[in-house]
């Protein structure tokens, strides 16, 4: 029997197949990945969208806030969409760098933009479902922040909208940009870029703004635990906000500190001392409602936006440095003087109108339907009108429905429940104000207060608003008189003057006390005591057109009605123009346009523009000095400003001034001049129908002048300002007339009383009750 023998073949090794398979899987995959990365970098067939070009990489740009500086180099405010101001690496505290490195990217100094170990950790997390942390390096985050890699502009490729591919493409772009950043910049530069671009919440972009917002400090002054709080914010700015979620912030801060212990940046003993320490904030979000000179900053932005448009800059993103004429010390004194005075006057006003509405007509009767008409001009009414297609029942329901709101009071903001209609009535009770101080020789505006509270009352009463100036307009009339041969000691009788009007009526202004003394007044005394009859005499002699031309030459830009009543200030003017015009008197007859920007620099400190004001030789030096001499009489015994300035405020130096009060006390003014400063103050209601009912409360020397007096008192008390108390400088050439009226005999100068008498026997007049 034969047997079949089994042939045993030698076993073949499977190792080469495994190697081949692994090579195909990993090697081929690696090659495919490399090709994919190159394709993304080149945007092959427009599948992936563009990457920032090399020039953009060499000059990365993030939005930087433009900064507005005072003349004494204090930051007044910023203009921004994202509130970001850069800081240099040398200004970053070591504890901040260590906290950030330990928490966000411990291998930052070792990798080249992509952390392989962190990427492997992410891969493991995806496979196991265990969260072991993110894989983004600080450099990748810089790429995302600087180049906006996730914007639609850079992700408009054909594959970007394919589900699952968009995020892969985004991350790939960030890897590529991170590597390029590492090749072009040092680690210090990248660290600085990161801290200058990252979002800390509360509209704080970058470490400089974040340190200011949360702790009111510069970055270099941050304590260790404060740096840890800010680094902790980066994970989730709202959830870990020390302002809005303090418990979460405290836990996150301690995580950051523990990471510093883990990587030997911090000793365990120090950590144990800090972990239970309370977070102490000095929280203040920068915005246009707070800080010095908010009305000025808004007005300046109008000019700056126009300049930027004309010169190719973005005010809100290019990090411009704008230098102004405002003196932060004077601005602070002006705001303090305003607040103290207006708070007291507002209390008087509330008491004065207790249980009554202050909007009244010329007869003192309440204006019916005033609030109902006023609310129709508000944005709230317009929105309701559109929402309900003009249905008044529905509109009125919501206008009278109480809702929670925050209202302004002089004791701070108050939370109340109030209807929009009641809110409007409440705010209409408030007196408003404007104040401006200017250096007459340069036109530099040193202080600008546009209202009582910018957050709640946005309307600017320096340049935006125009009101009747009353007797503060009279110096332009007296200037015209001086130019036409009159002089300070010229005498005029205080008697009624009636001037025919084109419509056949007569204009016969009264004095403020409705009396005429029949006494002789020098022009200087008449201006000091603001005698209306003397102004009527002058405007009749000179003509209203002459007055208009004089005022326009001195910088008044608003329309002026060439009517005799213009002599008493019936045409609206701005405080801005009035201060500029009065500066002409002090500046030897040269009008200098009020100005507030001196230069603009780019973010690197290169000067882009230096500004010079416009000037006009408006008056002769002699005329200007004679007007200064006449205005000084207001602060001498018998003048309307004497008691307030000399006794209440203790001002002993030479001061010129003019008070003004308009009809029904709707507007109270004071204009003050010294050799170094010209100031103007206006006080009144938002509407002309809102005012005090008595001259004792509503006149210019009671309602407006105290702000000027308190301001000057503070200015003179500050030796760092070096504001002169010297007399006004005299012209170099001798004067052609004598200014000491006491040296004239009563008959030495001819009195034009005969010409005045002809006006006493005129037809029946219409008493227009002109301004005081």
């Amino acid at each position: 029997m034969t047997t079949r023998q089994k042939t045993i073949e030698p076993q073949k090794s499977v190792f080469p197949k495994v190697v081949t398979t692994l090579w195909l899987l990993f090697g081929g995959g690696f090659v495919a990945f490399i090709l994919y990365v190159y394709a993304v970098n080149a945007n092959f067939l427009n599948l992936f969208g563009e990457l920032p070009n090399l020039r953009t990489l060499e000059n990365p740009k993030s939005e930087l806030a433009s900064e507005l500086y005072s003349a004494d180099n204090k930051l007044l405010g910023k203009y921004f969409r994202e509130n970001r101001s850069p800081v240099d690496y040398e200004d970053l505290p070591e504890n901040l760098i260590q906290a950030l490195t330990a928490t966000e990217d411990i291998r930052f100094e070792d990798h080249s933009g992509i952390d392989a170990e962190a990427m492997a950790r992410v891969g493991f997390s995806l496979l196991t479902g265990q969260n072991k942390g993110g894989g983004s390096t600080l450099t990748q985050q810089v790429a995302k922040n600087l180049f906006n890699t996730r914007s639609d502009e850079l992700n408009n490729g054909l594959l970007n909208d394919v589900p699952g591919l968009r995020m892969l493409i985004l991350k790939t772009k960030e890897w590529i940009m991170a590597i390029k950043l590492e090749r072009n910049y040092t680690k210090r530069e990248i660290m600085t870029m990161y801290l200058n671009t990252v979002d800390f919440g509360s509209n704080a972009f970058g470490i400089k703004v974040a340190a200011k917002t949360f702790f009111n400090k510069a970055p270099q002054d941050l304590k260790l635990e404060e740096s840890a709080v800010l680094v902790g914010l980066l994970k989730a700015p709202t959830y870990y906000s020390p302002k809005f979620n303090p418990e979460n912030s405290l836990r996150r801060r301690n995580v950051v500190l523990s990471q510093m212990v883990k990587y030997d940046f911090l000793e365990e003993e120090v950590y144990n001392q800090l972990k239970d320490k309370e977070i102490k904030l000095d929280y203040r979000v920068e915005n246009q409602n707070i800080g010095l000179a908010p009305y000025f900053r808004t007005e300046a932005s109008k000019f700056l936006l126009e300049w930027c448009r004309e010169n190719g800059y973005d005010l809100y993103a290019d990090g411009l440095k704008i230098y102004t004429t405002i003196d932060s010390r004077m601005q602070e004194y002006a705001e303090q003087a305003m607040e103290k005075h207006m708070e007291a006057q507002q209390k008087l006003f509330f008491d004065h109108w207790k249980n009554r509405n202050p909007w009244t007509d010329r007869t003192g009767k309440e204006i019916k339907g005033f609030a109902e008409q006023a609310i129709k001009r508000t944005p709230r009414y317009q929105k309701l009108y559109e929402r309900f297609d003009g249905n008044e029942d529905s509109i009125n329901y919501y206008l009278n429905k109480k809702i929670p709101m925050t209202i302004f009071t002089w004791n701070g903001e108050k939370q109340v429940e109030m209807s929009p209609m009641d809110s409007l009535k409440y705010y209409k009770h408030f007196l408003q104000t404007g104040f401006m101080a200017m250096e007459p020789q340069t036109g530099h505006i040193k202080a600008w207060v546009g209202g009582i509270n910018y957050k709640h009352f946005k309307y600017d009463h320096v340049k935006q608003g125009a009101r009747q100036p009353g007797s503060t307009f009279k110096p332009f009339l007296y200037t015209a008189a001086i130019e036409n041969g009159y002089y300070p000691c010229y005498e005029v009788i205080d008697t009624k003057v009636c001037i025919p009007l084109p419509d056949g009526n007569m204009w016969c202004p009264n004095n403020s006390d409705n009396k005429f003394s029949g006494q002789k007044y020098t022009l200087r005394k008449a201006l000091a005591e603001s005698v209306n009859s003397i102004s009527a005499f002058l405007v009749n002699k000179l003509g209203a057109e002459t007055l208009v031309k004089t005022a326009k030459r001195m910088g008044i830009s608003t329309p002026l009605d060439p009517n005799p009543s213009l002599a008493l200030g019936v045409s609206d003017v701005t405080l801005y123009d009035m201060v500029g015009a009065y500066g002409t008197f002090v500046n030897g007859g040269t009008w200098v346009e009020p100005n507030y920007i001196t230069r603009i620099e780019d973010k690197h400190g290169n000067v882009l523009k230096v500004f010079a004001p416009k000037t006009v030789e408006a008056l002769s030096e002699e005329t200007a000095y004679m007007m200064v001499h006449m205005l000084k009489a207001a602060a001498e015994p018998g003048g309307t400003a004497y008691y307030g300035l000399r006794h209440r405020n203790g001002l002993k130096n030479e001061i010129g001034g003019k008070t003004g009060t308009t009809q029904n006390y709707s507007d109270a003014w004071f204009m003050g001049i010294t050799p170094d400063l010209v100031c103007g103050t206006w006080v009144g209601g938002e509407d002309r129908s809102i005012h005090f009912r008595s001259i004792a409360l509503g006149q210019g020397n009671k309602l407006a002048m105290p702000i000027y007096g308190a301001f000057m008192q503070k200015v003179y008390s500050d030796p760092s300002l070096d504001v002169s108390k010297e007399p006004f400088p005299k012209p170099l050439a001798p004067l052609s007339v004598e200014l000491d009226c006491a040296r004239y005999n009563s008959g030495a100068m001819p009195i034009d009383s005969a010409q005045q008498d002809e006006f006493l026997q005129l037809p029946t007049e219409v008493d227009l009750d002109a301004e005081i």
Side-chain angles (χ1 to χ4, degrees), residues 249-314:
S249 178
L250 184 62
R251 288 198 305 272
R252 181 63 183 166
R253 180 201 69 181
N254 289 345
V255 168
V256 173
L257 294 173
S258 67
Q259 287 292 103
M260 295 181 71
V261 173
K262 177 180 177 180
Y263 294 112
D264 297 325
F265 291 123
L266 185 66
E267 295 180 0
E268 184 85 30
E269 181 181 352
V270 177
Y271 168 75
N272 290 330
Q273 293 173 355
L274 294 177
K275 67 178 182 179
D276 295 323
K277 194 171 184 178
E278 180 184 355
I279 298 175
K280 293 184 178 180
L281 297 178
D282 189 353
Y283 182 81
R284 54 189 73 187
V285 177
E286 289 186 278
N287 60 62
Q288 294 303 317
N289 292 327
I290 61 175
L292 276 178
Y295 291 93
F296 167 76
R297 299 196 314 258
T298 299
E299 185 60 37
S301 72
K302 298 175 186 178
F303 169 81
L304 292 168
L305 284 169
E306 182 178 353
W307 185 88
C308 286
R309 279 193 298 268
E310 292 174 353
N311 293 275
Y313 293 95
D314 186 342

Side-chain angles (χ1 to χ4, degrees), residues 219-257:
Q220 59 265 36
D221 298 326
L222 290 170
K223 297 178 181 178
L224 169 59
E225 62 271 24
E226 293 169 342
S227 292
V229 169
L230 296 179
V231 169
L233 271 169
L234 300 175
K235 185 176 179 65
T238 300
Y239 185 76
Y240 293 114
S241 169
K243 173 65 176 179
F244 303 108
N245 293 294
E247 294 181 359
N248 296 347
S249 178
L250 184 62
R251 288 198 305 272
R252 181 63 183 166
R253 180 201 69 181
N254 289 345
V255 168
V256 173
L257 294 173

Side-chain angles (χ1 to χ4, degrees), residues 527-726:
L527 182 61
E529 298 184 18
S530 206
V531 183
N532 286 347
S533 65
I534 311 302
S535 296
F537 168 81
L538 291 175
V539 76
N540 184 59
K541 292 293 185 182
L542 301 170
E545 287 286 358
T546 300
L547 174 54
V548 170
K549 291 177 182 178
T550 302
K552 289 292 184 181
R553 195 170 2 116
M554 295 176 65
I556 301 300
S557 62
T558 48
L560 300 175
D561 183 11
N563 187 291
S565 60
L566 178 62
L568 305 186
V570 299
S571 290
D572 289 351
V573 297
T574 66
L575 185 62
Y576 177 88
D577 281 355
M578 288 290 283
V579 173
Y582 270 65
T584 309
F585 300 135
V586 184
N587 195 35
T590 300
W591 172 78
V592 183
E593 181 181 26
N595 59 94
Y596 44 82
I597 305 293
T598 55
R599 73 181 188 277
I600 299 175
E601 297 178 357
D602 67 14
K603 64 181 178 181
H604 302 297
N606 300 311
V607 177
L608 302 176
K609 179 69 175 179
V610 175
F611 296 89
K614 177 183 176 182
T615 62
V616 173
E617 296 299 322
L619 310 174
S620 70
E621 187 179 23
E622 179 173 282
T623 297
Y625 183 75
M626 281 198 278
M627 286 306 304
V628 168
H629 174 68
M630 293 176 72
L631 288 168
K632 283 164 43 179
E636 296 173 0
T640 56
Y642 173 71
Y643 179 81
L645 296 181
R646 299 308 189 189
H647 294 275
R648 185 189 302 126
N649 298 113
L651 303 177
K652 306 300 183 185
N653 54 293
E654 282 196 0
I655 295 176
K658 188 71 193 78
T659 56
T661 312
T662 64
Q663 189 174 22
N664 290 333
Y665 328 115
S666 294
D667 303 276
W669 289 75
F670 183 76
M671 305 297 299
I673 62 171
T674 60
D676 285 356
L677 287 175
V678 175
C679 304
T681 308
W682 168 86
V683 177
E686 185 177 83
D687 298 83
R688 300 177 199 268
S689 59
I690 298 171
H691 47 74
F692 281 109
R693 288 170 288 166
S694 73
I695 192 170
L697 295 172
Q699 62 185 309
N701 65 3
K702 176 68 168 62
L703 202 52
M705 189 177 65
I707 295 177
Y708 171 79
F711 168 75
M712 292 303 296
Q713 195 175 44
K714 291 174 182 291
V715 165
Y716 283 135
S717 298
D718 187 341
S720 70
L721 288 172
D722 193 29
V723 175
S724 173
K725 291 184 179 180
E726 296 299 313

Side-chain angles (χ1 to χ4, degrees), residues 375 380-381 384 395-401 419-421:
I375 207 165
R380 184 187 294 273
Y381 179 90
L384 290 173
I395 295 171
N396 288 331
Y397 171 78
Y398 284 99
L399 289 178
N400 290 282
K401 181 182 178 182
S419 73
M421 179 63 78

